Amino acid sequence: MSGGWPSAGIIARVMHPRAALAVVLAGAAVACSSPSPAFSLAAASVDPTYWCPGGASNAAYDLHATVDARNGTSREVTIQSATAEMVLTSVSGAWLEKIGERYDAGAVIVTPTSVAANSNAKLGVTIPSACTSARYGASASSSGRYAVTVRLVTSAGTFSIAAANPHEILAA
C-alpha cells in the first residue's frame, strides 16, 4: 500500500466478520436516516393572469402568490423581510419590455409572518405590480409572461423559490 488509509474493502477483510457486519449496519443506518430538521419552501404559485384595463397607464395592481413552508426545526421561524422579482419570458404582440427584462418588486407582504416549530404553513405573498394598456380597440391586443421568484429572509436563513407557473399580463 502507498500510505494513507486502507480502503473499506480491506478493512472488512481484516476485521472479524461480526465487527465488519456492525460497520456495514452502522453505515446503512446513517445512509437511511432522515435529514436534519430544517426550514424549507415548496409549491410556489402565482395568479396566472391579470387583465390590464384598457387605457391604463402604469396602473397598480396586486399579484398574489402562495408558498408552502415547512419548519422541521424545534424553534419558530420568523419571516424578517421578503422581496419578489419578475422576469419577462415571452411576449405576444407589441409589448413595452423586451424578453429577459427584470422587474424588482421590492418589499412584498407575507402572511403569516412566522411558522411555528415542527409545523407547516401556506404563506400568502402580495407583490405590487403595474401595467400599461392601450384603449380597447385602439390597437391589437398583446401579452407578456413573467417568471416570478420570491425571496424570504428568515430567522433560519435566506430562501428563494420560483413559482411553478408563469404570470401573464393581458393588454388591450
Side-chain angles (χ1 to χ4, degrees):
M1 205 175 329
S2 61
W5 294 94
S7 71
I10 293 173
I11 291 174
R13 279 183 260 154
V14 174
M15 292 179 143
H16 186 275
R18 285 188 185 154
L21 178 61
V23 168
V24 169
L25 291 176
V30 169
C32 294
S33 67
S34 61
S36 60
F39 182 81
S40 61
L41 302 176
S45 65
V46 293
D47 293 337
T49 306
Y50 179 76
W51 290 86
C52 190
S57 177
N58 205 26
Y61 74 95
D62 287 338
L63 168 59
H64 301 98
T66 58
V67 178
D68 291 342
R70 180 185 175 283
N71 182 3
T73 72
S74 60
R75 294 205 162 119
E76 176 182 74
V77 172
T78 58
I79 298 165
Q80 299 163 342
S81 65
T83 58
E85 180 182 67
M86 298 169 60
V87 178
L88 184 62
T89 59
S90 67
V91 299
S92 173
W95 200 250
L96 296 175
E97 300 167 307
K98 294 185 182 340
I99 292 175
E101 286 193 32
R102 298 175 183 278
Y103 167 67
D104 180 354
V108 300
I109 298 169
V110 178
T111 56
T113 57
S114 64
V115 181
N118 297 307
S119 69
N120 300 323
K122 185 167 289 291
L123 305 177
V125 182
T126 303
I127 303 166
S129 189
C131 68
T132 296
S133 177
R135 294 189 195 287
Y136 290 119
S139 64
S141 63
S142 61
S143 64
R145 283 184 156 213
Y146 294 84
V148 180
T149 301
V150 174
R151 183 173 181 256
L152 301 177
V153 177
T154 75
S155 57
T158 301
F159 301 86
S160 290
I161 187 165
N165 66 306
H167 174 64
E168 184 173 31
I169 301 173
L170 300 171

